[in-house]
């Protein structure tokens, strides 16, 4: 009986430790919320610190699907797009979508939507 209780206590302790670690790791992922209206993003520039981000894109009455592209400044051709920054599926009118997790390092990037289409805006990682 003592062995059974000891095993149960170890199992519960291990489970709690694993859950706490998972929650701590998830806290390191920050969300950047951006809103698109017809032909533009409402936020014209962003400054972030190095880290891991998810981009949340809100389609505010654009009237059609929108997307999101993030690329290093000066390298905006499709080959240089940061693929994880793409929304996981096009963002329908008056809904919100999100990207996968994106690890950003120091540098200057641009973000834009070729479906809307929008100008290129600056994102700086310090």
């Amino acid at each position: 009986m003592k062995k059974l209780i000891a095993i149960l206590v170890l199992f519960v302790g291990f489970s709690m430790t694993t859950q706490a670690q998972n929650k701590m790791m998830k806290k390191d992922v920050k969300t950047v919320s951006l809103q698109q209206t017809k032909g533009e993003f409402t936020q014209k520039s962003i400054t972030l610190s190095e880290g891991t981000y998810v981009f949340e894109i809100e389609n505010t009455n654009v009237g059609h699907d929108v997307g999101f592209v993030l690329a290093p400044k000066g390298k905006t051709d499709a080959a240089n797009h940061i693929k994880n920054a793409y929304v996981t599926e096009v963002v329908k009118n008056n809904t919100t979508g999100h990207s996968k997790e994106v690890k950003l390092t120091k540098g200057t990037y641009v973000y834009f939507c070729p479906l809307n289409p929008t100008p290129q805006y600056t994102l700086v990682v310090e």
Side-chain angles (χ1 to χ4, degrees), residues 17 29 36 43 47 52 70 89 95 98 101-102 110:
T17 301
V29 178
Q36 282 192 58
Q43 192 165 4
T47 302
T52 303
L70 180 67
E89 59 184 70
T95 65
H98 60 84
E101 293 180 2
V102 180
V110 294

Side-chain angles (χ1 to χ4, degrees), residues 10-49:
L10 284 172
F11 178 74
V12 170
F14 179 73
S15 295
M16 291 175 69
T17 301
T18 301
Q19 288 176 0
Q21 287 175 344
N22 287 341
K23 285 181 183 177
M24 286 176 60
M25 291 174 80
K26 289 292 181 189
K27 287 182 183 177
D28 290 341
V29 178
K30 300 173 194 101
T31 300
V32 177
S33 296
L34 298 170
Q35 180 185 47
Q36 282 192 58
T37 59
K38 290 183 181 183
E40 68 180 355
F41 280 90
T42 57
Q43 192 165 4
K44 308 298 186 213
S45 66
I46 304 169
T47 302
L48 303 170
S49 56

